[in-house]
Amino acid sequence: MKDESFQFNYLCFLLFLCFSSAHSLVRNCSTGEEEEDINRSQFPDGFFFGTATSSYQIEGAYLEDGKRLNNWDVFNHRKGNINGENGDVADDHYHRYLEDIEILQSLGVNSYRFSISWARILPRGKFGRVNPAGVSFYNKILDSLLLKGIEPFVTIYHHDFPQELEQRYGSWLSPLMQEDFVYFAETCFKSFGDRVKHWITINEPNLFADMAYIRGRYPPAHCSEPFGSCPVGNSDMEPLLAMHNMLLAHGKGAKLYRDHFQKNQGGVIGIVVSAFMYKPLTESEVDLAAANRALAFNVAWTFDPLIFGDYPPEMRHYHGNELPSFSLEEKDIIKDSIDFIGLNHYSTFYVKDCIYSSCAIGGDRPIRGFSNTTGYRDGVPIGDRTGMASFFVVPRGMEEIVNYVKDRYHNKPMYVLENGYSPPRNQEVQEQEVLNDVKRIEFHKAYLASLARSIRNGANVRGYFLWTLMDDYEWVAGYGLTFGLY
């Protein structure tokens, strides 16, 4: 059984949402911002409070019950992360899902976001049969959640796919991947759509394009100088192509859902991006323009096509003909193809212009929007450091990114589908300090207060999901980061 002291600690964490007094202001020493107590009444009726996970990061059982190798299995076994860790066992959620749902319920949440392992449902993609054991596993999760009154939010693709698709045609660099994704999505709609009312097609396509095809740190590990040293890849071109195929895959999957499933199943479908907030490093006009470009080259890279039907004009201006084009038919498919906007927000960065200033490490390239990001100004960090070297505690960034999205996309319904804190790594920390975990509670109170302000000012935000339920495999960072409530 998981440590009951963790359960008590985080039950208290959720209780503050319901019972803390509202509107008292104190200075938060860790963030330097005015801290506002937060309670449940500051959020709309029907608001979802939940936690989030993903399949590869928690399930384990990597070759059990008909599942075959996915891209992360192969990547970690060949190259691995810096510590040689992998997700072969992870949290053993595949065998302990009932226990995990019990601790989820103990938190008092009313929703849970998880993802479906593509290689567990379709071990060979569309080149093989549906794996009944995989379908059965997720059926049991869904039934268990609903029995406890917890609403499932399901991500179809969260960075993991059958390795065979990479070997056959290069996965997201090929338009063939669009059709494989649609086949997988259809299988999910048919198998689970009677109980799933909130679908997320793809998790963070912008981050995946960056990590897999610019930096080469995610499989298939493609990159080129100056972003990295990989055997293959083109960091200036491949991320644009991979993103193009992911956007079209989403659009086709969403069209299939709306045309054949949505009316009877009564659900909604959207997508989620990695949504950092960007602030100008100085008060100069060029840095202000660079911060606006950074938002367009990250957040709007995904949402502009799926709402307006084409890439952001900021990207068209600087990429020119290098940026792929959508045909008239494709524009018709992708435009207005989301019922809601999903945001994964963790931190805020300063941005420096690289058009009129010299920059290193690729900031002077179109793929980075001719901008460099940093967490420091004049040697002073933008906020408290966290366990993630590039993440800082900047609560006001939550309100600012929500307001940016609200204004750019006409206040379309939004969900914050990830927001989380990992404490700085300290080998000498005592167990009791870990259990008390005051910094994590301060983090979420501050970010929730920031979110509540945006809602009071009219933002149509309908849910907040904390990353993550339990410490897990944090991709190339392995098990060293502790985002978990447990």
Side-chain angles (χ1 to χ4, degrees):
M1 293 294 290
K2 301 228 176 14
D3 193 317
E4 291 183 2
S5 63
F6 278 138
Q7 291 196 22
F8 173 79
N9 206 28
Y10 288 101
L11 183 56
C12 291
F13 163 69
L14 263 296
L15 286 176
F16 87 76
L17 287 174
C18 301
F19 301 121
S20 63
S21 60
H23 303 304
S24 64
L25 292 175
V26 297
R27 177 67 66 176
N28 185 320
C29 295
S30 65
T31 66
E33 298 183 20
E34 294 292 338
E35 181 183 282
E36 182 176 355
D37 281 349
I38 191 75
N39 66 19
R40 179 64 183 83
S41 67
Q42 293 171 263
F43 295 86
D45 291 340
F47 193 86
F48 288 105
F49 287 102
T51 67
T53 63
S54 86
S55 55
Y56 184 77
Q57 294 179 267
I58 66 169
E59 284 181 4
Y62 85 109
L63 287 180
E64 287 191 39
D65 294 338
K67 179 186 171 295
R68 293 182 64 165
L69 292 172
N70 66 33
N71 55 326
W72 278 93
D73 295 325
V74 172
F75 174 74
N76 279 326
H77 287 193
R78 285 180 182 169
K79 177 182 177 182
N81 66 29
I82 56 175
N83 299 317
E85 297 168 338
N86 58 54
D88 291 2
V89 177
D91 291 278
D92 199 26
H93 179 69
Y94 187 78
H95 300 110
R96 301 176 67 173
Y97 70 92
L98 287 175
E99 180 184 347
D100 294 337
I101 293 173
E102 288 288 341
I103 65 171
L104 179 67
Q105 183 188 33
S106 76
L107 293 172
V109 299
N110 61 3
S111 49
Y112 173 57
R113 178 188 170 208
F114 67 97
S115 75
I116 295 175
S117 167
W118 195 335
R120 202 177 294 283
I121 297 294
L122 292 167
R124 301 184 60 215
K126 66 182 181 182
F127 302 103
R129 297 180 178 181
V130 174
N131 177 25
V135 173
S136 175
F137 172 64
Y138 294 108
N139 275 332
K140 288 184 287 188
I141 288 178
L142 287 168
D143 292 344
S144 298
L145 290 171
L146 293 171
L147 188 63
K148 295 182 180 299
I150 298 172
E151 183 78 11
F153 280 61
V154 176
T155 306
I156 297 172
Y157 166 63
H158 194 129
H159 300 340
D160 58 311
F161 56 79
Q163 175 66 13
E164 184 163 344
L165 309 186
E166 180 67 37
Q167 294 170 336
R168 279 181 179 265
Y169 53 73
S171 68
W172 290 114
L173 294 180
S174 168
L176 295 174
M177 190 68 159
Q178 300 173 28
E179 307 310 321
D180 246 304
F181 174 82
V182 172
Y183 181 65
F184 175 41
E186 182 177 23
T187 304
C188 292
F189 300 149
K190 288 179 177 178
S191 302
F192 315 120
D194 58 328
R195 287 151 294 166
V196 176
K197 306 307 176 187
H198 297 85
W199 291 102
I200 298 108
T201 52
I202 299 175
N203 179 76
E204 299 180 330
N206 57 332
L207 178 71
F208 186 80
D210 182 351
M211 297 296 284
Y213 297 101
I214 298 179
R215 304 190 212 189
R217 299 190 66 203
Y218 284 10
H222 285 204
C223 69
S224 59
E225 298 290 348
F227 301 99
S229 179
C230 304
V232 295
N234 183 330
S235 296
D236 295 302
M237 298 299 298
E238 287 190 350
L240 300 176
L241 183 57
M243 174 65 96
H244 196 71
N245 285 319
M246 284 188 275
L247 293 173
L248 287 168
H250 159 86
K252 292 176 180 180
K255 185 178 189 303
L256 175 76
Y257 181 71
R258 288 173 166 177
D259 289 350
H260 299 285
F261 298 96
Q262 191 169 44
K263 182 178 179 180
N264 291 331
Q265 295 181 353
V268 291
I269 193 163
I271 198 168
V272 58
V273 305
S274 172
F276 296 106
M277 186 59 200
Y278 299 95
K279 307 293 289 183
L281 180 64
T282 71
E283 295 180 3
S284 68
E285 290 295 325
V286 294
D287 281 355
L288 176 60
N292 289 331
R293 285 199 305 276
L295 285 163
F297 274 65
N298 287 276
V299 176
W301 190 13
T302 299
F303 290 136
D304 267 31
L306 303 185
I307 293 175
F308 303 135
D310 202 357
Y311 289 111
E314 298 94 331
M315 294 189 75
R316 284 280 179 212
H317 178 76
Y318 288 102
H319 278 293
N321 293 331
E322 292 179 350
L323 198 60
S325 296
F326 298 106
S327 68
L328 291 177
E329 179 184 3
E330 289 171 340
K331 286 186 176 184
D332 186 57
I333 289 172
I334 63 172
K335 186 177 180 180
D336 292 323
S337 62
I338 53 176
D339 298 319
F340 64 85
I341 286 171
L343 302 176
N344 291 352
H345 176 70
Y346 288 89
S347 191
T348 297
F349 301 114
Y350 293 124
V351 182
K352 174 189 176 184
D353 169 74
C354 296
I355 298 175
Y356 301 98
S357 306
S358 60
C359 292
I361 320 177
D364 58 349
R365 307 286 269 267
I367 196 67
R368 289 296 189 213
F370 294 103
S371 63
N372 256 3
T373 59
T374 177
Y376 294 87
R377 181 161 59 192
D378 299 327
V380 179
I382 194 170
D384 267 10
R385 296 289 302 270
T386 72
M388 196 84 166
S390 60
F391 287 9
F392 299 83
V393 180
V394 191
R396 66 184 180 276
M398 175 68 83
E399 181 180 10
E400 290 169 345
I401 191 64
V402 167
N403 288 343
Y404 170 82
V405 171
K406 177 186 75 171
D407 294 341
R408 188 165 182 128
Y409 303 113
H410 312 304
N411 209 12
K412 200 170 188 70
M414 280 179 270
Y415 294 91
V416 176
L417 289 167
E418 289 181 24
N419 174 238
Y421 174 80
S422 176
R425 306 184 195 200
N426 185 350
Q427 300 298 327
E428 299 178 0
V429 68
Q430 300 299 308
E431 180 179 357
Q432 195 56 45
E433 292 180 59
V434 176
L435 295 178
N436 288 338
D437 216 359
V438 173
K439 292 290 187 181
R440 192 186 312 272
I441 295 173
E442 288 181 352
F443 175 95
H444 287 289
K445 289 181 71 173
Y447 274 78
L448 279 165
S450 184
L451 181 62
R453 286 195 299 271
S454 66
I455 292 172
R456 285 199 299 273
N457 290 325
N460 188 10
V461 183
R462 301 184 178 187
Y464 171 90
F465 291 72
L466 185 152
W467 185 268
T468 179
L469 177 62
M470 51 199 171
D471 293 340
D472 61 6
Y473 180 79
E474 286 292 341
W475 307 114
V476 291
Y479 296 100
L481 295 176
T482 55
F483 280 96
L485 294 184
Y486 289 85

